[in-house]
Amino acid sequence: MMGRQTCCDKIGLKRGPWTIEEDHKLMNFILKNGIPCWRLVPNLAGLLRCGKSCRLRWINYLRPDLKRGALTEAEEDMIIQLHSRFGNRWSKIASHFPGRTDNEIKNCWNTRIKKKLKVLGLDPITHKPIERSRVFSTKDKGVFESNSSRNQENNFELNLHDNRGSRDDEMPQREGISNIGQQFNEMWGCLDVGSSAIPQTKPSNTFYAGMSEDFPQHWIDSPNNLLSWDGLNHLEGIFLWESLEIGVG
DNA sequence: AACACGGCCAACCGCCTCACG
DNA sequence: ACGTGAGGCGGTTGGCCGTGT
């Protein structure tokens, strides 16, 4: 209150895909300083982005504890189970998958799992068998979400004894995670990064293009030699954000 | 080779809740 | 008790890319 600036003052702010330089700046800043307040991050990190955009980029893409690669069959099955329980509460579902983001799970649901369920003759909303009249034609699938299924969705919401907005997570993300800041520091060795050249296997639309001079040349020269993000997977479940703030600041 | 189409996913939008003064 | 901003969340969009014609 009292004249606080809004986070998303859009004047002069950049939008759209992040560049490698921006990623680099954000990564460097957060690894060195933590997150004092997202609103302040863009200015302090030298980015022409709003705080929200920075937060999203960090959470969905730059976070070192992210698990890379496609969701496995087993994970998809578990998503289906959790969805039947929680509905479209993606963050809650994501909390059961360390290293996965709600956005990732949501995308997976919308692009793959929904289809999978429909092929199996199950309603993606109610998880119950679709009435025969609605299963048969692919043309019909196009309008699948209309009318009756929407009503079903409404019923589902009612049945959910609406948890929306409640913070009573049964299994909070990173709960019980031990502090491994030291391990992390050793692993990256490079937290004073020029190095924040965090390697990854997934060829981001921006990551390889326009590598800054801070990126080790061999990563540029030989993408096949890149250390995979998956190399971090053994840290899954034990990476605690707060740990970054220790020994890095 | 050129174009159309559909799938995928990163990023944005707008709303909601919570914390704080 | 109330107003406000920050952060969190889910829905949606737009652009890229692969595939088919």
Side-chain angles (χ1 to χ4, degrees):
Chain A
M1 81 190 312
M2 298 188 197
R4 275 204 257 178
Q5 286 179 295
T6 60
C7 167
C8 294
D9 175 13
K10 301 203 169 37
I11 298 171
L13 294 184
K14 190 168 179 288
R15 301 179 58 196
W18 281 64
T19 65
I20 183 68
E21 266 79 19
E22 288 176 311
D23 279 347
H24 201 174
K25 282 181 182 177
L26 182 60
M27 177 75 85
N28 267 340
F29 176 81
I30 293 180
L31 291 181
K32 286 180 181 173
N33 304 292
I35 305 166
C37 163
W38 281 114
R39 184 176 61 83
L40 301 176
V41 167
N43 276 344
L44 296 174
L47 291 163
L48 289 170
R49 297 273 181 174
C50 75
K52 258 187 167 182
S53 181
C54 293
R55 175 183 161 272
L56 212 60
R57 184 63 177 171
W58 173 257
I59 288 174
N60 287 336
Y61 196 77
L62 295 174
R63 249 169 57 198
D65 60 330
L66 279 182
K67 191 187 272 186
R68 299 281 160 162
L71 287 149
T72 64
E73 283 285 322
E75 284 175 315
E76 288 188 8
D77 290 343
M78 192 170 167
I79 290 170
I80 293 168
Q81 285 180 32
L82 291 168
H83 186 272
S84 70
R85 198 166 144 203
F86 299 126
N88 292 359
R89 301 184 60 207
W90 307 116
S91 63
K92 187 145 188 167
I93 293 172
S95 71
H96 291 71
F97 298 88
R100 300 293 191 184
T101 68
D102 54 351
N103 208 31
E104 189 178 10
I105 287 171
K106 181 171 57 183
N107 282 335
C108 178
W109 176 267
N110 287 328
T111 58
R112 291 198 294 277
I113 300 179
K114 259 183 169 177
K115 286 177 205 157
K116 193 169 159 183
L117 288 177
K118 286 176 187 176
V119 166
L120 292 171
L122 297 172
D123 186 319
I125 297 166
T126 64
H127 296 260
K128 291 175 182 169
I130 304 169
E131 42 185 307
R132 290 181 69 84
S133 63
R134 300 203 61 76
V135 186
F136 47 84
S137 89
T138 50
K139 190 179 176 185
D140 190 48
K141 283 183 182 177
V143 291
F144 183 83
E145 303 266 339
S146 63
N147 302 331
S148 68
S149 60
R150 288 213 183 276
N151 293 336
Q152 288 170 352
E153 181 175 11
N154 291 339
N155 291 337
F156 182 71
E157 289 293 338
L158 289 174
N159 291 338
L160 266 181
H161 56 74
D162 192 5
N163 290 323
R164 192 170 182 155
S166 71
R167 304 287 161 134
D168 58 334
D169 290 354
E170 295 165 5
M171 193 186 293
Q173 195 165 15
R174 302 189 192 88
E175 182 179 72
I177 294 168
S178 61
N179 185 325
I180 52 130
Q182 186 58 40
Q183 288 182 40
F184 183 79
N185 286 347
E186 287 170 7
M187 173 148 197
W188 288 102
C190 47
L191 289 189
D192 70 329
V193 211
S195 50
S196 65
I198 301 302
Q200 60 175 27
T201 46
K202 183 177 179 179
S204 146
N205 50 347
T206 57
F207 213 89
Y208 293 109
M211 286 282 195
S212 82
E213 70 247 4
D214 290 326
F215 284 76
Q217 191 61 41
H218 66 278
W219 285 351
I220 300 171
D221 292 340
S222 180
N224 290 337
N225 289 338
L226 290 178
L227 172 62
S228 163
W229 267 109
D230 291 340
L232 291 175
N233 285 349
H234 72 282
L235 296 178
E236 172 192 330
I238 56 173
F239 182 88
L240 184 62
W241 162 245
E242 283 74 12
S243 67
L244 285 177
E245 298 181 328
I246 300 171
V248 185

